[in-house]
Amino acid sequence: QKEVEQNSGPLSVPEGAIASLNCTYSDRGSQSFFWYRQYSGKSPELIMFIYSNGDKEDGRFTAQLNKASQYVSLLIRDSQPSDSATYLCAVNVPPGNTGKLIFGQGTTLQVKP
Amino acid sequence: GAVVSQHPSRVICKSGTSVKIECRSLDFQATTMFWYRQFPKQSLMLMATSNEGSKATYEQGVEKDKFLINHASLTLSTLTVTSAHPEDSSFYICSAIRTDGTDTQYFGPGTRLTVL
């Protein structure tokens, strides 16, 4: 069974610190990886996607992908209280390019002022 | 950006009635849309894939006769919950794929359904 695993948390960091969120996936055929942020009672919003091994930076966010280890992470620098939310890791379902995703259960991040 | 809307945002209905939820891609065409359901403190569960001009593909365990999906145009998919019961109360979220090479899913704001 295809799976995406995340630590549910909560992960608590002080304001200004780096938050590190981790995700592992089971299907080696997966090629597309996404991070979404979901505030309580709201729908997910895309933070970033990554396809290639290595790092991808966008503002305060950096996604890291290691396909050999089947591991994808999200770093949030200079964490702000407004970053407090649930972060969902999503991985495409191979084969083919159907756009279908499997979501992890999400990691709750708490940024304390 | 890619904007997806849903209507209504919140609906309360009596048990046994049917409820229709609309999902629209406002600034792009979407040949594929997805419908998810999310219970409190749980992750998103994919219900079905909605394909423009063809039948929806349902995930295992999702009753296609209960959750009717119609994707009549490149910007609109509808989900009808037929004969709703209290256990159908949930947060229903649609997403649309923007075919810009990334195949990224953009989510609508969700519809909170409460069945009394």
Side-chain angles (χ1 to χ4, degrees):
Chain A
Q1 183 176 350
K2 301 179 178 66
E3 292 182 343
V4 177
E5 299 285 342
Q6 293 181 257
N7 188 321
S8 61
L11 172 65
S12 183
V13 300
E15 183 175 357
I18 295 175
S20 178
L21 305 163
N22 305 315
C23 172
T24 59
Y25 59 96
S26 63
D27 195 325
R28 285 194 173 275
S30 294
Q31 296 293 324
S32 308
F33 307 87
F34 302 84
W35 282 99
Y36 288 87
R37 176 174 62 196
Q38 186 175 26
Y39 292 108
S40 180
K42 303 294 185 181
S43 68
E45 57 178 319
L46 179 71
I47 297 176
M48 59 194 308
F49 57 85
I50 187 167
Y51 296 155
S52 303
N53 276 327
D55 295 358
K56 180 181 179 183
E57 186 175 318
D58 184 359
R60 295 187 296 114
F61 299 98
T62 299
Q64 299 175 319
L65 175 61
N66 184 324
K67 290 185 180 179
S69 300
Q70 295 175 243
Y71 176 92
V72 58
S73 65
L74 180 70
L75 300 178
I76 306 175
R77 288 181 299 281
D78 188 23
S79 296
Q80 301 297 309
S82 58
D83 294 327
S84 298
T86 296
Y87 288 80
L88 301 170
C89 171
V91 176
N92 82 297
V93 178
N97 210 10
T98 63
K100 195 170 163 180
L101 299 177
I102 292 180
F103 284 82
Q105 71 268 37
T107 298
T108 300
L109 173 66
Q110 297 174 347
V111 181
K112 298 190 174 181
Chain B
V3 181
V4 178
S5 70
Q6 268 183 257
H7 178 81
S9 59
R10 186 180 296 269
V11 57
I12 301 172
C13 68
K14 293 181 178 180
S15 185
T17 60
S18 295
V19 174
K20 180 186 281 189
I21 303 170
E22 291 186 350
C23 177
R24 292 181 186 272
S25 55
L26 298 185
D27 56 353
F28 65 100
Q29 293 184 331
T31 55
T32 303
M33 293 183 175
F34 298 92
W35 287 96
Y36 295 85
R37 181 167 52 181
Q38 187 175 36
F39 293 105
K41 299 195 183 300
Q42 294 186 23
S43 191
L44 283 77
M45 294 296 294
L46 178 65
M47 299 175 67
T49 303
S50 173
N51 301 298
E52 187 269 335
S54 64
K55 291 183 178 180
T57 304
Y58 291 81
E59 295 300 301
Q60 191 172 7
V62 178
E63 301 174 56
K64 60 183 178 182
D65 294 330
K66 180 169 181 65
F67 298 100
L68 302 178
I69 292 172
N70 184 279
H71 194 152
S73 77
L74 287 172
T75 59
L76 173 64
S77 174
T78 61
L79 168 68
T80 301
V81 183
T82 63
S83 186
H85 289 95
E87 57 266 30
D88 297 323
S89 299
S90 187
F91 192 41
Y92 291 86
I93 313 172
C94 74
S95 71
I97 288 184
R98 182 173 183 165
T99 52
D100 56 358
T102 67
D103 286 336
T104 301
Q105 286 191 31
Y106 293 90
F107 285 87
T111 297
R112 189 158 304 280
L113 170 64
T114 301
V115 185
L116 302 176

